[in-house]
Structures are given as structure tokens and as C-alpha cells.
Amino acid sequence: MNRYYLAVDIGASSGRHILGHMENGKIVLEEIHRFSNAMTEKDGELCWDVDRLFVEIKEGMKKCALAGKIPHSMGIDTWAVDFVLLDGKGNRIGNAAAYRDERTNGMDQLVCQVISEEELYRRTGIQKQKFNTIYQLMALQNKKENQLKAAEKLLMIPDYFHYLLTGKAVTEYTNATTTQLVNAETKDWDMELIDRLGFPRKIFQKIVKYGTFLGELGEEIQREVGLNCKVMLPATHDTASAVMAVPAGEKEAAYISSGTWSLMGTELLKADCSEKSRRSNFTNEGGYEDRFRYLKNIMGLWMIQSVKREIGGELGYGEICRMASKERISSIINCNEDRFLNPENMTEEVQRACREFGQQVPEGIAQTAAVIYNSLARCYARTMEEMEQLTGKNFEEIYIVGGGANADYLNRLTAKASGRKVFAGPVEATAAGNIMAQMIADHVLEGLVDARKCVYRSFPIETY
């Protein structure tokens, strides 16, 4: 009889329940439930409907029970930086605000009055992004101080869902590091920094590592979903889970976790908190086995998702990719400009950027997508060169994991622009990494290297 492990993987646009088990030395994945996710506007701010998401989490678990496939353990991963506040009774305070909301505008300047960007990077190793948790908390402190004062707990989004399932309030390490409030040396909350910023110490929960057994489902949850299982923390930051599934074995690898965001980097055993690294805008996020995910955030397929929604009609992403591959437009934009973070209209913003620099202005979905794909590939190549200079390492291969591994045209462009061999897959890297962490905790896999070799055996990997 198979022993199942359940990954609940929730991204910015969709979520899925994936069951995994071992069969003939390979990881086998099975999708049980899929649901949509999107930011919504409420009370004048962009936020996540976490109540509906939790209903979907339970719905997928019910489907496991109905199928007779009861997971031995389960774990949830999501995007980073966003959080909820809870009062003393465990009730949520305010909305689960989304990172693309404008409440953080100007907050970097207020933080900088307390601590310089240089010192902040030396302490945390985390790149400055205006939506980081540190700036979201500064926004609350200045605009909704009553919420911060009423709070007893701060929980990152996956930690909140784990809390609802088990009643245990902790903060998982990989997601905690993205707050820009964790010390890169101690791998714990930087309480001196938190005190200087005036944030209440009491709201920051104990940081625990991936692989921690949190508990079993609460009795009420058991009755509702029709099963009980262990709740085992994966690397709850979806990128940390995805990077676990990079099929490089023991090699030092360059990777791109390609989805809504493109996260391009490598792994370091010690964070690089140097000024040179800061100026290059690399970040040192917590990873599995105490490795640091040394990477750069690149705007990614969010841009394609946006133009598809605006002018793509019923076209699928594969078809858009094929159409773009037939275009010969040579215009290039800087994908990392803030203008592409959350424009009113992405298509018009891409056109405007091309026009401003005297380049051909794309018309229609195929040309617009071609500009974005070519610009992303160029950005990947530049980032690779920077990363090699900063680390002193030479990378002959790039591993692309996640949904973007399906983008054949982008993969071919990346290989050409970077001059490296590109391996693409697995597509469900985040769910695979989530399940790998559970399997390692259950001693089914021996560790990260063993797990990565298993990934290479288990999933189709395309070579470019």
C-alpha cells in the first residue's frame, strides 16, 4: 500500500493539492484539487481572500478522503513576505494585505531614517524590495498603528494556514528570512533591529525549520475533512521548495525558478552580505539544509500573465509562446523596472517603454509576448554574468524549474542568450520540493542530494 504525502502549493494566481508517493524508486505526483487565487480590493487595499483559500485547502483534503488516499503527512507552501496579524483570541486583525498594494510606497525612506540600507543588508542579506515585510510593517505603524498595537501574533501566510489546521503558531525559517528582519548569521529574528524600528517583539513567533512535525489536524478539522494526518512543515516559501527540486544532484548549479516571478540564482553555504552584492541587488534567502538561496528577483511571467488577461482572449500560454516564436521584433525592455510591478495595463506599459527608447512598438499578443520573452532571456544572461563575478564560480548549465519550464521559446532564447546548456523541468517543482521535505523528514529520502537525484529519475527534463 502506498504511503502518500500531500503538498498544498498556493501561488499568486492558483493553488493545487498534489499527492506524492514513491514507486520503483521514483516520486509519483497526482493532482487532487486545483483552485484559483487572485488579489482583490477590499477597504481600499489589495489583499488576499485567505478565508476562501482555507476553504479550498479543506476541500482538497476532503477529496483525498473520498479517494481513499489518506496522506501520512501534509504541508503548505505559498509566496513570501505577506502576513496576517492575530489578536489575543486568535482572531485576524484587518485584511491579509497583498505585496502589490501601494501601502508601502515611501516606507523605505522611513526605514532608512532608522537604519541605512547598507547596514540593513549587512545584517539580513536581503535585497531591498518595497514590498518586503519590513516595509509593510512600517506602513502599518504609520497608517494603522491601532492594528499593530492590538496584535499578539504575526504569521506569514503558510504559517497562518498551518495554525488554522493545528492550533500551533510558529514561523518557518525559509519564509521568515524574506521579511528582512532575520539575521543572516544567527538565522533568527534580529531583535535589536526590530526594537530600533519600534515593532512589538511579542508578535514574532519562534522560528522553526522545515521538516518540523507541527502536530496533527485539530479535531474539528478532522471531522470536517474526513481524515487525520501529520502536519509536517516543508520549506514554506514556494521558491525554497522549488529550488529543492532542482535536479542537479551534487553539482553546484545555477537555477531559475520560473513562474509569476523568475528567481535566478545559486546556493551558498554562507550569506554574501557584502556591499558589492547589495549594489548588484542579490538576496540571500534561507534555503534547505541551511544553504542560502543567493538569487535575484526578476519580474518573470507575471508580465505574460498580464498581457494574456488583457489581450490574449482564450489563447493558452503554450499557444502564445508558439506565436511569439514566429515574430522577428527586436525591441528589448528592462523587465526589472518598477513600472512593470503592477501597472494599470501591462500591454500599454510595454508599448510605452519601447516607444520611450525609440524601438519598434509591439502590436498584438504575439509581438508583445515576443518582446517580453526576449527581454527576460537577455535579463537572465546578464544576471548569470553578475552571479559568476560575485561568486567567483563558473556555471556551465542552467536549471529551469516551475511552470515556466514549459515555455519552450523562452528556454531556447535563454540558452542562446546565456551560451549555456539549459535543463527544463520539473514543472511541478514546488509541489515536488514540498513533498521531498516531507519524505526526508519521514526517512524515505536520505537528504537533499539523494532527493535531487530522485527528481532527475522521476520527471521529464528537457535539454536545450
Side-chain angles (χ1 to χ4, degrees), residues 198-405:
F199 302 153
R201 278 190 176 212
K202 65 180 179 180
I203 67 175
F204 297 95
Q205 305 305 296
K206 179 182 178 181
I207 292 179
V208 299
K209 292 286 183 71
Y210 35 77
T212 296
F213 168 57
L214 200 56
E216 295 186 345
L217 301 178
E219 291 183 4
E220 186 176 333
I221 299 293
Q222 291 180 39
R223 287 192 295 270
E224 187 175 352
V225 303
L227 61 81
N228 187 25
C229 67
K230 295 180 178 181
V231 177
M232 192 75 69
L233 294 185
T236 63
H237 182 193
D238 52 10
T239 307
S241 278
V243 170
M244 283 187 68
V246 170
E250 299 181 51
K251 295 179 184 176
E252 285 191 323
Y255 60 79
I256 302 172
S257 176
S258 180
T260 300
W261 289 90
S262 289
L263 297 312
M264 185 171 189
T266 188
E267 290 176 314
L268 301 179
L269 297 180
K270 180 178 173 59
D272 181 353
C273 300
S274 67
E275 180 63 11
K276 188 175 181 181
S277 178
R278 184 190 74 84
R279 289 184 178 277
S280 298
N281 213 28
F282 273 75
T283 197
N284 297 268
E285 295 176 351
Y288 199 83
E289 289 187 350
D290 284 340
R291 303 174 187 216
F292 287 91
R293 291 175 289 119
Y294 188 61
L295 58 85
K296 176 171 283 193
N297 282 42
I298 300 167
M299 200 64 70
L301 297 178
W302 156 253
M303 300 176 74
I304 293 291
Q305 293 166 2
S306 297
V307 298
K308 177 187 181 300
R309 184 176 63 251
E310 292 160 1
I311 61 173
E314 299 301 315
L315 293 172
Y317 289 113
E319 192 170 357
I320 291 172
C321 205
R322 286 190 295 273
M323 291 168 62
S325 69
K326 298 176 182 177
E327 296 293 334
R328 293 295 175 263
I329 186 169
S330 60
S331 302
I332 296 293
I333 57 175
N334 181 358
C335 299
N336 281 340
E337 287 188 311
D338 284 347
R339 66 195 295 170
F340 301 118
L341 182 62
N342 193 28
E344 289 187 12
N345 187 290
M346 184 69 74
T347 306
E348 293 177 1
E349 199 64 41
V350 170
Q351 292 171 332
R352 190 176 297 114
C354 291
R355 191 177 296 113
E356 288 173 5
F357 288 92
Q359 301 182 94
Q360 180 182 346
V361 177
E363 297 293 339
I365 184 69
Q367 285 193 350
T368 306
V371 170
I372 293 170
Y373 285 132
N374 277 276
S375 299
L376 283 172
R378 191 74 63 87
C379 188
Y380 296 160
R382 288 198 304 270
T383 301
M384 173 64 87
E385 292 173 1
E386 280 185 288
M387 190 164 65
E388 288 185 331
Q389 291 172 1
L390 288 165
T391 63
K393 300 176 181 180
N394 292 313
F395 300 100
E396 297 179 356
E397 302 164 343
I398 301 174
Y399 291 81
I400 300 178
V401 298

